[in-house]
Amino acid sequence: ALTKIDDLFNKIMEVGYADFPSNESVLGTSYPFEFESVVKDIEKLKASLPPELEGGIEFIKGRDFYQQNKFDIALDYYRKCLSLWQGLSDISPLKIAILQFNLGLSYYRLWQKKNQQNNDNLTEAKSYLEACINIFKAENREDLVAKFINCLVEILRSLEEWENLENLANESLRLNKSILSEYSLILETE
């Protein structure tokens, strides 16, 4: 089960903000039935799961609700995942960053869905996305910063934080130029 969850996180890191791959597309077409069966079996046994696995299950449930545009419910699952994973030494910081991204994205979509009326949701989105980007930076993953930064750009624009937006846009340009340079060097050597 953890391998499947890792596959999902790896796919999200691969595509970045540009796409939201469905759980089914990564975990397989039989995923919803298998997943539901496993969850019911665990509940019947009243078994306790390791926090990493339980958090992963909460994350997957959150993504399912996100895809149904039920952002409030998705946020509940993501927050439960975060509470299970915080402080665990064996959780990859990159997983935490992706979880933070999903939290931020859900708050952003909730703000959009509610006709952009509650800036508290937008402020929450900004906070989680900044945390995501900061983790990627701390892990020296500029490639991931470049893939996920555009969501934060959209939020800063919506908040009309022009100075922060300008700084972030310049950083985004620098990162994308750097990545393009790396790709061109790779292509030249082939």
Side-chain angles (χ1 to χ4, degrees), residues 179-190:
I179 289 170
L180 286 174
S181 295
E182 288 177 31
Y183 284 133
S184 64
L185 286 173
I186 291 168
L187 291 174
E188 287 175 10
T189 59
E190 290 182 352

Side-chain angles (χ1 to χ4, degrees), residues 34-146:
E34 293 172 0
F35 183 74
E36 193 173 311
S37 174
V38 168
V39 170
K40 284 181 181 177
D41 288 347
I42 291 167
E43 288 171 354
K44 281 182 194 173
L45 295 171
K46 297 191 187 307
S48 63
L49 295 173
E52 183 178 6
L53 181 57
E54 186 177 352
I57 290 170
E58 297 301 313
F59 179 76
I60 289 170
K61 288 178 183 177
R63 286 177 46 83
D64 282 338
F65 282 105
Y66 176 93
Q67 289 178 281
Q68 298 169 29
N69 294 327
K70 296 178 180 176
F71 306 117
D72 286 323
I73 299 171
L75 284 165
D76 290 339
Y77 284 105
Y78 291 148
R79 284 189 290 259
K80 186 169 181 191
C81 177
L82 186 61
S83 73
L84 286 163
W85 283 359
Q86 282 183 325
L88 291 180
S89 60
D90 55 345
I91 294 290
S92 161
L94 296 178
K95 278 187 178 179
I96 297 293
I98 294 300
L99 174 57
Q100 299 270 15
F101 170 75
N102 279 267
L103 277 155
L105 185 60
S106 294
Y107 274 111
Y108 182 45
R109 296 294 183 235
L110 188 60
W111 175 77
Q112 289 175 322
K113 183 179 178 182
K114 294 189 175 189
N115 299 319
Q116 306 167 355
Q117 293 178 353
N118 184 351
N119 274 359
D120 291 344
N121 288 328
L122 203 53
T123 303
E124 285 291 323
K126 175 188 169 195
S127 176
Y128 281 111
L129 288 164
E130 285 175 335
C132 166
I133 297 300
N134 288 335
I135 292 171
F136 289 150
K137 287 178 181 177
E139 294 295 311
N140 294 315
R141 293 298 305 266
E142 286 193 343
D143 60 319
L144 295 176
V145 172

